[in-house]
Amino acid sequence: MLITTPLPEDALSKPMLRSLRVTSPLLFVVGAMNAVTAQIEGNRGALATALCLCVCAAGLFTEDLLQQDLRRDPRVLAYVAAHPNVSLARAAGDLDLPLQKVEVSLARLVAAGLLVHTGEEERVRTYSTRA
């Protein structure tokens, strides 16, 4: 039995990540072009295949969008572990991510029990790893 673990986003090169994010829209365009050609020629088998390619490409694109948030969580968790009692604004600035995205990741990590709120002084909430 083969057990594989997914590569973290940091292990992939930037050009590779860009190409992965281009693949599904490109497949969708190819499928749509084939669907139009098959429709003009009246080839129902080719039309069905092209439409299946479009649906699969749309599914891959949607899955990538949904997983994008989850790929950010380990990065946020590692940052908080290295910087205990960090504030939301500081984490967002240091990670070079939008404040709302980091807030969503922190909320998900708190809900999972991996992080805790360590203080709320003057409306500044700080986070730390669970002791």
Side-chain angles (χ1 to χ4, degrees):
M1 179 164 103
L2 179 66
I3 298 174
T4 61
T5 57
L7 287 174
E9 190 170 292
D10 295 338
L12 301 174
S13 66
K14 294 287 182 186
M16 182 181 276
L17 282 174
R18 280 190 220 110
S19 71
L20 291 174
R21 293 192 178 124
V22 170
T23 303
S24 56
L26 186 62
L27 283 174
F28 185 84
V29 169
V30 168
M33 289 173 32
N34 284 337
V36 169
T37 303
Q39 178 68 28
I40 291 170
E41 293 177 359
N43 186 342
R44 290 185 178 170
L47 178 62
T49 303
L51 292 176
C52 285
L53 180 61
C54 287
V55 169
C56 290
L60 287 172
F61 185 72
T62 304
E63 183 66 21
D64 183 53
L65 288 177
L66 292 173
Q67 294 297 321
Q68 203 168 22
D69 286 341
L70 297 177
R71 287 192 300 264
R72 184 180 51 249
D73 288 356
R75 190 171 155 204
V76 172
L77 180 61
Y79 178 82
V80 173
H83 302 87
N85 298 319
V86 69
S87 69
L88 172 62
R90 170 101 189 246
D94 288 350
L95 290 169
D96 196 29
L97 292 169
L99 190 68
Q100 296 83 4
K101 300 283 186 180
V102 175
E103 187 174 26
V104 168
S105 286
L106 288 170
R108 196 173 16 250
L109 293 166
V110 168
L114 297 172
L115 295 179
V116 293
H117 300 289
T118 55
E120 288 192 44
E121 299 169 10
E122 297 179 24
R123 296 177 35 177
V124 176
R125 182 177 288 178
T126 57
Y127 296 87
S128 201
T129 53
R130 191 171 280 288

